[in-house]
Structures are given as structure tokens and as C-alpha cells.
Amino acid sequence: MTAAPDGAPQEHPSWLWRNPDPKPSYDVVIIGAGGHGLATAYYLAAEHGITNVAVVERGWLAGGNMARNTTIIRSNYLWDASAGIYEHSLKLWEGLAEALDYDILFSQRGVLNLAHTLQDVREGIRRVNANRLNGIDAEWLDPQQVADVCPIVDISPDTRYPVLGATYQPRGGIAKHDHVAWAFARAADAMGVDLVQNCEVTGIDVDRGRVAGLRTSRGPITAGKVALCAAGHSSVLAGMAGLRLPIQSHPLQALVSELLEPVHPCVVMSNAVHVYVSQAHKGELVMGAGVDAYISYAQRGSVHTIERQMSAALELFPIFARAHVLRTWAGIVDVSPDASPILGLTPVEHLYINCGWGTGGFKATPGAGSVYAHTIASDAPHPLNAPFSLERFTTGALVDEHGAAAVAH
Amino acid sequence: MLSVPCPWCGPRDETEFSYGGQAHVAHPAEPDALSDHEWSDYLFVRDNPRGPFAERWCHSAGCRRWFNAVRDTVTHSFLAVYRIGDPVPEIS
Ligand SMILES: Cc1cc2nc3c(=O)[nH]c(=O)nc-3n(C[C@H](O)[C@H](O)[C@H](O)COP(=O)(O)OP(=O)(O)OC[C@H]3O[C@@H](n4cnc5c(N)ncnc54)[C@H](O)[C@@H]3O)c2cc1C
Ligand SMILES: [Zn+2]
């Protein structure tokens, strides 16, 4: 289907891209049409002129974590390697609506990461200093300044986890995840990329150490290069090529309230009490929880996790006491041992990997896509993703972001 | 919430348990003899299957005993529970 019928809304997503059958062969096949897969396809075509590309997706386009995340975007991670890749991504976000000619509702409303203990305070101040050395906007706020930025946060000292301060990144914010996916999809499709839905990869063929092609629910596809972008299913796919990954798949849950008048001006995250909250453009409060403890591929989690998250939200925002939960859901996130992604080459030639973003990869969508496309096109990592190799778990050069990523991102 | 079948106490709410990850991962008998790659494997890499998975649970707010279980990671149903030290039961 290429054009909307007369009278139909022009921008309906089903008319933003073709829905082609897979061809027997491509230069590059990307597995997974989430945000990362679509962004990778876009940058392969736009920046490297590689357009004989398919993105194969077992379900529908952007129905995985891309449709399920709480859309928080920021770049205030601790280590230089992380600052490099996340800030590269944030800079791309700042020009993305224009580059893709699509309104992605990117709103730089500022992100607060609250500190509730002396340890949080020390860690937060250290991170602000590290961010500044890396040219990232970061400020340390005292409790009164937190209330100035977000008046509905309870900063009284007699709460169970009093707010002792916060890191603040004014350029952080949120975007509309569906629009981001559709914008990348439309642009990639227009340059000739095939977005193939309902096409599950069931096998990866390796011939003398080099990737040869894929088996899929819609027939075999030969491929010069194969790029994994399967988030929570990365271990399953890597296993098809004989690789074991340092990844564990967990449910991560979120919820929204019914639509409310604008009450919450920014994004608030708290690692200690495990909640992160913003208010979407339409008016619903969007809140995320921590991961459920067990390994799962079920896209659902346990209700006590939601309960804990809501009690944390009420502690911070007493004003939410009368709000109602509209719905809850879960995605399957790919958690790595150091809370940093794995993005680069694999021991199988021409098989590339992008995973381990866990609870925080939405913010990296354009940044990861751009450096992954570079990695695929040149068969070598971009300097920004070189530190995030799979080998780091053997060399020991971990990029430990548990402090900055913490519960959630 | 999962209902976890403790082999000693019977089915109890998940909130009474702590999760221990993959079962049957033995500490290397001779750590010094491992290559960096093998050591990395032991430290960081665990199975992550879509389907039956042998894993550890501790009934920390109950009898406080560890045990193993085979649980399906897609349906979340417990297919078997067994004692630490016993081999993985055959699942038919
Ligand atoms: C509740 C929740 C809240 C989150 N909040 C945030 C946040 O606020 N900020 C942030 O930065 N990040 C957040 N994240 C994390 C973020 O969503 C992910 O890191 C990111 O979306 C992962 O990249 P993706 O979009 O490509 O993944 P996905 O959208 O999951 O894409 C992977 C795709 O691969 C497909 N696939 C899997 N197996 C196969 C196969 N065999 N064959 C073909 N296709 C296959 C899947 O169907 C899926 O569509 C959150 C995640 C969740 C679940
Ligand atoms: Zn018990």
C-alpha cells in the first residue's frame, strides 16, 4: 500500500512505509524493527549510501520495547565512554525532527535525579562534576531548588526518604516514542530499505566463521551482513549463531494514569525509591518501575513491583494520591553486567551486535543507530562505541554505570 | 505475582522469596588454570533461555532454605522443584 485512500488521514502510520515481502538477498539484514533497528537502517542509507537493506521483524514495527518505554532522554552518565555515546545521541535528538521532517514531540523539559541518602548526594555531585568535564549540562540542586524546578515534589524533611538534593540536566526530557519509530521508518523506507513485518528469524547460518544468511518464517534470506537489534531477545538470536552473551532478560514494567491537567513540568527519577515520572503531552502521568527479579520473556511482570513503584511515587508526590491507574504493561529488557550496552563486532565475521541497553536504550535510539551503522558499513567500531565491545567482559574494561543507570536508565 | 512452590512449605507468594539466578553454576575447581575467556564466562555469562530454565530460589521470608526449580520463562509456570545438589529433573 503506497498512498492513503481519498479522505483518509494522510499521516496514518500504515501509509508511511511500504509493506514489502522479503527479497531472497540483501547486503545488510537488520533483525528487529524497534527504535534501534529502524534508526540503524536510516543511518546506513542516509550516511553510508547502503540501501539494499531489510529490517526483519517478528511482530509489527516498533511493538517491542520501543512501544513500551517511558521515553526519558538524558546524557548525564558517569564515565567518559558513556558521556560520549549518550551525549552524541542527545545532540542528534536536538536536530531529529528537522532531519526526519516529522514532529517527534521532543520536549527538553529537564530531568531531575533525586538524592535521598548521603551516598546519593556524594554520588550525584561526583556525577555532576564528571558531566561538566565532558561538556554536558549538569547542575547540583539543593532541596529548595528542586522544588523550584518541580513544585509538586515533597521536599519536607519528615518523609521516609527525604529529598536531600538532585542532579539536574535541563537539556534532558521526553519524546513521543511511536512518532520516533514512524519517522525513522518512513525515512528509511523512502531511501529503499525494506521493512519486513511478521518475519521471525528462526536461524542464522554461519559458513566458515562468517555469516551467510538467515532462516525466517517467511523463507530463507541470504545476507552479506547481519546486524542484531533484538533487545530482550538478543540472547536467543545470538544463540542461533553459536554465541553466548552476558545478557539476562527481565520484565520491566510501567504504568500510566488517566489524563490529568498539566501538573508535572519535568522528569523526576529516583533510584533509591525506584520510580521515574513524567507527564505525557496528552496528560497522563507516565511512571516506570524497577525490573522484576526473575528471567522472563513473557512481557508481563508481578503486581507487587507496580505496588512498590506506586508507593514510591506517592511518597514523592502526595498530590498523586487521587489519580487512577489506567493501565500497566511490561517489556523484556536486556540487562548487561555493567549496566552499559554491547555494541560492535562479534566473533562471527559480518555479524554485528547491539544490545544490553536494558532499561535505558530509548534515549540512545539515534546515537546507537548512527554509530552502529558506521560499525556495519566499515566493519569496525566507531570511536564512540569502541569501549562497548563484547570483549570488555574478557579484558575487564567494564563501563560500570550502575550509579547513573540505577533502577531504570 | 508468581506462586512459588517451596519444596518444604508448599506454594507461597513470590514476595516471600529471593531469586538466585541460574542453578548448577559451579565455582571453577582450578580458577588459576582458566583462560581470561573462561574466567569471563564464569563471571558474566549465564544461560538466558526462552523456555525451561533451571534456577535457584530462596524462601527468605519463610523457611529460609535454598532450592532449585525449573520454570518456563515464557509461561512462568514451575515445571519442577528439587533440592540443591540433585540433578535437573527430566521434564516431559
Ligand atoms: C517499561 C519500560 C520503560 C523504559 N523506559 C525507558 C526510558 O524512559 N528511557 C530510555 O532511554 N529507555 C527506556 N526503556 C528501554 C528502551 O525501551 C529499550 O532500551 C529500547 O527500546 C531497546 O531498543 P529497541 O527500541 O530497538 O527495542 P525493541 O523495540 O524491543 O526492538 C526489538 C525488536 O526485535 C524483535 N525481535 C525479537 N526477536 C526477533 C526474531 N527472532 N526475529 C525478528 N525480530 C525479532 C522484537 O519483536 C522487537 O520488535 C524502557 C523499557 C521498558 C520496557
Ligand atoms: Zn519454604
Side-chain angles (χ1 to χ4, degrees):
Chain A
M1 190 175 296
T2 48
D6 282 349
Q10 286 303 309
E11 289 295 84
H12 187 282
S14 56
W15 298 297
L16 291 177
W17 53 84
R18 302 159 296 133
N19 198 15
D21 292 324
K23 291 192 285 193
S25 163
Y26 291 95
D27 294 341
V28 179
V29 178
I30 296 166
I31 305 177
H36 286 231
L38 295 168
T40 303
Y42 167 79
Y43 289 107
L44 269 178
E47 291 189 347
H48 305 278
I50 300 174
T51 56
N52 184 21
V53 174
V55 185
V56 295
E57 167 55 51
R58 71 199 282 259
W60 60 92
L61 193 139
N65 293 342
M66 189 59 175
R68 295 158 197 268
N69 73 80
T70 52
T71 80
I72 299 171
I73 295 167
R74 62 192 177 89
S75 65
N76 55 354
Y77 286 70
L78 178 65
W79 299 107
D80 294 352
S82 318
I85 196 162
Y86 288 107
E87 178 62 14
H88 169 60
S89 197
L90 182 49
K91 291 214 170 82
L92 288 174
W93 280 112
E94 288 173 330
L96 201 59
E98 206 179 329
L100 300 176
D101 188 25
Y102 200 97
D103 185 8
I104 54 168
L105 299 180
F106 179 49
S107 159
Q108 292 180 292
R109 55 183 63 185
V111 175
L112 289 168
N113 289 77
L114 302 181
H116 301 278
T117 65
L118 208 52
Q119 172 61 24
D120 283 353
V121 171
R122 291 189 185 121
E123 208 273 334
I125 291 173
R126 178 186 177 201
R127 195 145 50 79
V128 163
N129 290 331
N131 289 162
R132 290 189 165 192
L133 289 173
N134 278 313
I136 292 171
D137 59 321
E139 293 167 39
W140 176 255
L141 305 187
D142 66 25
Q144 188 49 53
Q145 291 169 311
V146 170
D148 292 345
V149 171
C150 189
I152 59 173
V153 174
D154 183 1
I155 58 159
S156 59
D158 52 0
T159 59
R160 185 154 170 226
Y161 300 102
V163 173
L164 302 182
T167 68
Y168 183 47
Q169 183 175 26
R171 283 164 63 243
I174 57 174
K176 180 92 181 127
H177 47 15
D178 293 338
H179 287 207
V180 176
W182 300 340
F184 275 121
R186 181 181 70 162
D189 173 90
M191 290 183 285
V193 172
D194 281 356
L195 306 175
V196 185
Q197 306 181 70
N198 296 310
C199 183
E200 177 169 5
V201 173
T202 54
I204 299 178
D205 295 324
V206 178
D207 184 20
R208 274 156 294 169
R210 183 172 180 155
V211 84
L214 302 171
R215 274 160 287 143
T216 81
S217 57
R218 298 179 70 178
I221 302 175
T222 56
K225 295 177 174 180
V226 171
L228 303 186
C229 266
H233 281 76
S234 296
S235 302
V236 177
L237 281 152
M240 295 176 192
L243 304 176
R244 285 179 87 218
L245 299 179
I247 292 288
Q248 300 272 271
S249 296
H250 291 271
L252 180 65
Q253 302 189 68
L255 64 87
V256 287
S257 73
E258 82 269 55
L259 306 188
L260 301 167
E261 293 295 314
V263 287
H264 181 17
C266 58
V267 178
V268 172
M269 308 180 58
S270 166
N271 298 341
V273 300
H274 279 234
V275 75
Y276 36 104
V277 189
S278 68
Q279 187 169 18
H281 295 84
K282 264 192 310 189
E284 64 268 45
L285 297 167
V286 183
M287 301 184 199
V291 296
D292 282 87
Y294 46 81
I295 303 297
S296 172
Y297 287 83
Q299 290 185 317
R300 64 175 183 275
S302 297
V303 74
H304 64 87
T305 305
I306 291 282
E307 207 178 328
R308 204 176 296 154
Q309 160 206 10
M310 281 196 291
S311 60
L314 279 189
E315 164 95 2
L316 292 176
F317 303 96
I319 189 181
F320 293 170
R322 308 279 297 269
H324 296 113
V325 173
L326 197 62
R327 59 178 190 280
T328 75
W329 65 88
I332 298 303
V333 296
D334 40 339
V335 176
S336 75
D338 58 359
S340 285
I342 300 169
L343 211 180
L345 312 181
T346 72
V348 177
E349 234 183 300
H350 291 179
L351 177 69
Y352 307 91
I353 190 152
N354 172 26
C355 68
W357 294 96
T359 58
F362 174 73
K363 65 178 69 66
T365 304
S370 85
V371 298
Y372 198 30
H374 175 103
T375 303
I376 298 162
S378 45
D379 196 33
H382 186 282
L384 287 176
N385 64 291
F388 298 102
S389 68
L390 189 52
E391 291 100 70
R392 77 177 183 273
F393 297 100
T394 303
T395 62
L398 303 189
V399 188
D400 185 351
E401 286 292 353
H402 283 103
V407 21
H409 339 154
Chain B
M1 177 172 342
L2 304 184
S3 175
V4 183
C6 173
W8 289 281
C9 311
R12 307 287 302 174
D13 281 353
E14 182 194 336
T15 45
E16 294 182 7
F17 294 83
S18 9
Y19 185 64
Q22 184 178 353
H24 309 290
V25 181
H27 189 270
E30 280 185 86
D32 294 350
L34 297 191
S35 67
D36 286 354
H37 199 81
E38 290 164 327
W39 184 242
S40 154
D41 232 50
Y42 167 68
L43 278 186
F44 298 120
V45 183
R46 293 291 177 272
D47 290 345
N48 188 26
R50 185 183 157 89
F53 182 47
E55 60 191 15
R56 302 179 301 172
W57 289 86
C58 179
H59 195 183
S60 33
C63 66
R64 304 187 58 189
R65 286 196 265 195
W66 283 94
F67 58 94
N68 289 336
V70 178
R71 185 181 56 94
D72 188 305
T73 61
V74 180
T75 63
H76 290 175
S77 62
F78 283 84
L79 307 174
V81 287
Y82 56 104
R83 295 188 178 208
I84 299 284
D86 286 354
V88 190
E90 296 253 344
I91 310 287
S92 49

PDB file of all heavy atoms in Angstrom, chain B residues 5-10 12 16-17 58-65 67, ligand 2:
ATOM      1  N   PRO B   5       6.413 -22.673  44.366  1.00  0.00           N
ATOM      2  CA  PRO B   5       6.204 -23.899  45.144  1.00  0.00           C
ATOM      3  C   PRO B   5       7.435 -24.285  45.951  1.00  0.00           C
ATOM      4  O   PRO B   5       8.273 -25.052  45.479  1.00  0.00           O
ATOM      5  CB  PRO B   5       5.891 -24.946  44.065  1.00  0.00           C
ATOM      6  CG  PRO B   5       6.561 -24.443  42.827  1.00  0.00           C
ATOM      7  CD  PRO B   5       6.685 -22.957  42.942  1.00  0.00           C
ATOM      8  N   CYS B   6       7.539 -23.781  47.175  1.00  0.00           N
ATOM      9  CA  CYS B   6       8.664 -24.171  48.042  1.00  0.00           C
ATOM     10  C   CYS B   6       8.534 -25.670  48.350  1.00  0.00           C
ATOM     11  O   CYS B   6       7.469 -26.129  48.737  1.00  0.00           O
ATOM     12  CB  CYS B   6       8.641 -23.366  49.343  1.00  0.00           C
ATOM     13  SG  CYS B   6       9.885 -23.939  50.527  1.00  0.00           S
ATOM     14  N   PRO B   7       9.618 -26.434  48.166  1.00  0.00           N
ATOM     15  CA  PRO B   7       9.506 -27.883  48.401  1.00  0.00           C
ATOM     16  C   PRO B   7       9.202 -28.215  49.866  1.00  0.00           C
ATOM     17  O   PRO B   7       8.761 -29.321  50.161  1.00  0.00           O
ATOM     18  CB  PRO B   7      10.871 -28.429  47.987  1.00  0.00           C
ATOM     19  CG  PRO B   7      11.751 -27.267  47.750  1.00  0.00           C
ATOM     20  CD  PRO B   7      10.923 -26.031  47.670  1.00  0.00           C
ATOM     21  N   TRP B   8       9.453 -27.278  50.771  1.00  0.00           N
ATOM     22  CA  TRP B   8       9.179 -27.555  52.182  1.00  0.00           C
ATOM     23  C   TRP B   8       7.867 -26.939  52.664  1.00  0.00           C
ATOM     24  O   TRP B   8       7.201 -27.505  53.514  1.00  0.00           O
ATOM     25  CB  TRP B   8      10.344 -27.055  53.045  1.00  0.00           C
ATOM     26  CG  TRP B   8      11.553 -27.912  52.863  1.00  0.00           C
ATOM     27  CD1 TRP B   8      11.769 -29.126  53.436  1.00  0.00           C
ATOM     28  CD2 TRP B   8      12.654 -27.678  52.015  1.00  0.00           C
ATOM     29  NE1 TRP B   8      12.953 -29.652  52.995  1.00  0.00           N
ATOM     30  CE2 TRP B   8      13.527 -28.786  52.125  1.00  0.00           C
ATOM     31  CE3 TRP B   8      13.018 -26.630  51.146  1.00  0.00           C
ATOM     32  CZ2 TRP B   8      14.723 -28.880  51.420  1.00  0.00           C
ATOM     33  CZ3 TRP B   8      14.207 -26.729  50.463  1.00  0.00           C
ATOM     34  CH2 TRP B   8      15.051 -27.836  50.585  1.00  0.00           C
ATOM     35  N   CYS B   9       7.488 -25.778  52.126  1.00  0.00           N
ATOM     36  CA  CYS B   9       6.325 -25.046  52.654  1.00  0.00           C
ATOM     37  C   CYS B   9       5.141 -25.059  51.702  1.00  0.00           C
ATOM     38  O   CYS B   9       4.068 -24.565  52.053  1.00  0.00           O
ATOM     39  CB  CYS B   9       6.685 -23.597  52.940  1.00  0.00           C
ATOM     40  SG  CYS B   9       8.199 -23.421  53.886  1.00  0.00           S
ATOM     41  N   GLY B  10       5.324 -25.576  50.484  1.00  0.00           N
ATOM     42  CA  GLY B  10       4.224 -25.524  49.529  1.00  0.00           C
ATOM     43  C   GLY B  10       4.176 -24.186  48.821  1.00  0.00           C
ATOM     44  O   GLY B  10       5.082 -23.359  48.973  1.00  0.00           O
ATOM     45  N   ARG B  12       3.762 -20.497  47.867  1.00  0.00           N
ATOM     46  CA  ARG B  12       3.714 -19.243  48.633  1.00  0.00           C
ATOM     47  C   ARG B  12       3.928 -18.077  47.663  1.00  0.00           C
ATOM     48  O   ARG B  12       4.476 -18.244  46.577  1.00  0.00           O
ATOM     49  CB  ARG B  12       4.830 -19.228  49.691  1.00  0.00           C
ATOM     50  CG  ARG B  12       4.863 -20.416  50.602  1.00  0.00           C
ATOM     51  CD  ARG B  12       3.756 -20.422  51.625  1.00  0.00           C
ATOM     52  NE  ARG B  12       3.789 -19.217  52.443  1.00  0.00           N
ATOM     53  CZ  ARG B  12       2.850 -18.911  53.351  1.00  0.00           C
ATOM     54  NH1 ARG B  12       1.816 -19.720  53.530  1.00  0.00           N
ATOM     55  NH2 ARG B  12       2.952 -17.804  54.051  1.00  0.00           N
ATOM     56  N   GLU B  16       7.741 -13.577  49.226  1.00  0.00           N
ATOM     57  CA  GLU B  16       8.466 -14.229  50.335  1.00  0.00           C
ATOM     58  C   GLU B  16       9.831 -14.767  49.906  1.00  0.00           C
ATOM     59  O   GLU B  16      10.581 -15.274  50.727  1.00  0.00           O
ATOM     60  CB  GLU B  16       7.632 -15.397  50.895  1.00  0.00           C
ATOM     61  CG  GLU B  16       6.340 -14.952  51.561  1.00  0.00           C
ATOM     62  CD  GLU B  16       5.552 -16.125  52.148  1.00  0.00           C
ATOM     63  OE1 GLU B  16       6.064 -17.265  52.160  1.00  0.00           O
ATOM     64  OE2 GLU B  16       4.420 -15.887  52.580  1.00  0.00           O
ATOM     65  N   PHE B  17      10.128 -14.691  48.609  1.00  0.00           N
ATOM     66  CA  PHE B  17      11.322 -15.365  48.082  1.00  0.00           C
ATOM     67  C   PHE B  17      12.350 -14.377  47.566  1.00  0.00           C
ATOM     68  O   PHE B  17      12.011 -13.260  47.185  1.00  0.00           O
ATOM     69  CB  PHE B  17      10.923 -16.287  46.920  1.00  0.00           C
ATOM     70  CG  PHE B  17      10.045 -17.438  47.339  1.00  0.00           C
ATOM     71  CD1 PHE B  17       8.672 -17.260  47.483  1.00  0.00           C
ATOM     72  CD2 PHE B  17      10.593 -18.683  47.601  1.00  0.00           C
ATOM     73  CE1 PHE B  17       7.860 -18.313  47.875  1.00  0.00           C
ATOM     74  CE2 PHE B  17       9.789 -19.744  47.994  1.00  0.00           C
ATOM     75  CZ  PHE B  17       8.420 -19.557  48.127  1.00  0.00           C
ATOM     76  N   CYS B  58      15.337 -18.771  47.038  1.00  0.00           N
ATOM     77  CA  CYS B  58      15.487 -18.918  48.481  1.00  0.00           C
ATOM     78  C   CYS B  58      14.188 -18.440  49.131  1.00  0.00           C
ATOM     79  O   CYS B  58      13.713 -17.333  48.841  1.00  0.00           O
ATOM     80  CB  CYS B  58      16.658 -18.085  48.981  1.00  0.00           C
ATOM     81  SG  CYS B  58      16.876 -18.205  50.773  1.00  0.00           S
ATOM     82  N   HIS B  59      13.629 -19.258  49.993  1.00  0.00           N
ATOM     83  CA  HIS B  59      12.397 -18.866  50.685  1.00  0.00           C
ATOM     84  C   HIS B  59      12.768 -17.982  51.874  1.00  0.00           C
ATOM     85  O   HIS B  59      12.639 -18.371  53.038  1.00  0.00           O
ATOM     86  CB  HIS B  59      11.634 -20.125  51.120  1.00  0.00           C
ATOM     87  CG  HIS B  59      10.220 -19.825  51.504  1.00  0.00           C
ATOM     88  ND1 HIS B  59       9.357 -20.776  51.980  1.00  0.00           N
ATOM     89  CD2 HIS B  59       9.513 -18.654  51.482  1.00  0.00           C
ATOM     90  CE1 HIS B  59       8.177 -20.210  52.235  1.00  0.00           C
ATOM     91  NE2 HIS B  59       8.252 -18.932  51.949  1.00  0.00           N
ATOM     92  N   SER B  60      13.249 -16.765  51.551  1.00  0.00           N
ATOM     93  CA  SER B  60      13.925 -15.949  52.558  1.00  0.00           C
ATOM     94  C   SER B  60      12.992 -15.457  53.664  1.00  0.00           C
ATOM     95  O   SER B  60      13.419 -15.239  54.786  1.00  0.00           O
ATOM     96  CB  SER B  60      14.655 -14.775  51.900  1.00  0.00           C
ATOM     97  OG  SER B  60      13.951 -14.329  50.773  1.00  0.00           O
ATOM     98  N   ALA B  61      11.708 -15.260  53.367  1.00  0.00           N
ATOM     99  CA  ALA B  61      10.777 -14.832  54.416  1.00  0.00           C
ATOM    100  C   ALA B  61       9.915 -16.018  54.879  1.00  0.00           C
ATOM    101  O   ALA B  61       8.811 -15.841  55.390  1.00  0.00           O
ATOM    102  CB  ALA B  61       9.897 -13.688  53.929  1.00  0.00           C
ATOM    103  N   GLY B  62      10.418 -17.234  54.690  1.00  0.00           N
ATOM    104  CA  GLY B  62       9.689 -18.423  55.132  1.00  0.00           C
ATOM    105  C   GLY B  62      10.651 -19.352  55.834  1.00  0.00           C
ATOM    106  O   GLY B  62      11.253 -18.991  56.842  1.00  0.00           O
ATOM    107  N   CYS B  63      10.880 -20.524  55.237  1.00  0.00           N
ATOM    108  CA  CYS B  63      11.778 -21.488  55.877  1.00  0.00           C
ATOM    109  C   CYS B  63      13.252 -21.143  55.687  1.00  0.00           C
ATOM    110  O   CYS B  63      14.117 -21.788  56.263  1.00  0.00           O
ATOM    111  CB  CYS B  63      11.491 -22.880  55.344  1.00  0.00           C
ATOM    112  SG  CYS B  63      11.888 -23.058  53.583  1.00  0.00           S
ATOM    113  N   ARG B  64      13.529 -20.140  54.848  1.00  0.00           N
ATOM    114  CA  ARG B  64      14.888 -19.623  54.626  1.00  0.00           C
ATOM    115  C   ARG B  64      15.808 -20.657  53.983  1.00  0.00           C
ATOM    116  O   ARG B  64      17.021 -20.597  54.142  1.00  0.00           O
ATOM    117  CB  ARG B  64      15.487 -19.090  55.925  1.00  0.00           C
ATOM    118  CG  ARG B  64      14.593 -18.040  56.551  1.00  0.00           C
ATOM    119  CD  ARG B  64      15.220 -17.369  57.736  1.00  0.00           C
ATOM    120  NE  ARG B  64      16.478 -16.752  57.379  1.00  0.00           N
ATOM    121  CZ  ARG B  64      17.323 -16.250  58.274  1.00  0.00           C
ATOM    122  NH1 ARG B  64      17.022 -16.299  59.552  1.00  0.00           N
ATOM    123  NH2 ARG B  64      18.449 -15.700  57.893  1.00  0.00           N
ATOM    124  N   ARG B  65      15.224 -21.599  53.273  1.00  0.00           N
ATOM    125  CA  ARG B  65      16.076 -22.582  52.609  1.00  0.00           C
ATOM    126  C   ARG B  65      16.150 -22.324  51.100  1.00  0.00           C
ATOM    127  O   ARG B  65      15.185 -21.895  50.486  1.00  0.00           O
ATOM    128  CB  ARG B  65      15.540 -23.987  52.861  1.00  0.00           C
ATOM    129  CG  ARG B  65      15.835 -24.407  54.292  1.00  0.00           C
ATOM    130  CD  ARG B  65      15.690 -25.874  54.452  1.00  0.00           C
ATOM    131  NE  ARG B  65      14.365 -26.195  54.940  1.00  0.00           N
ATOM    132  CZ  ARG B  65      14.039 -27.378  55.438  1.00  0.00           C
ATOM    133  NH1 ARG B  65      14.920 -28.352  55.484  1.00  0.00           N
ATOM    134  NH2 ARG B  65      12.813 -27.599  55.867  1.00  0.00           N
ATOM    135  N   PHE B  67      16.505 -23.689  47.233  1.00  0.00           N
ATOM    136  CA  PHE B  67      16.167 -24.866  46.441  1.00  0.00           C
ATOM    137  C   PHE B  67      16.285 -24.498  44.966  1.00  0.00           C
ATOM    138  O   PHE B  67      16.468 -23.330  44.613  1.00  0.00           O
ATOM    139  CB  PHE B  67      14.761 -25.367  46.774  1.00  0.00           C
ATOM    140  CG  PHE B  67      13.675 -24.339  46.568  1.00  0.00           C
ATOM    141  CD1 PHE B  67      12.977 -24.284  45.361  1.00  0.00           C
ATOM    142  CD2 PHE B  67      13.348 -23.434  47.566  1.00  0.00           C
ATOM    143  CE1 PHE B  67      11.977 -23.334  45.173  1.00  0.00           C
ATOM    144  CE2 PHE B  67      12.348 -22.477  47.383  1.00  0.00           C
ATOM    145  CZ  PHE B  67      11.667 -22.425  46.176  1.00  0.00           C
TER     146      PHE B  67
HETATM  147 ZN    ZN C   2       9.861 -22.680  52.472  1.00  0.00          ZN
END
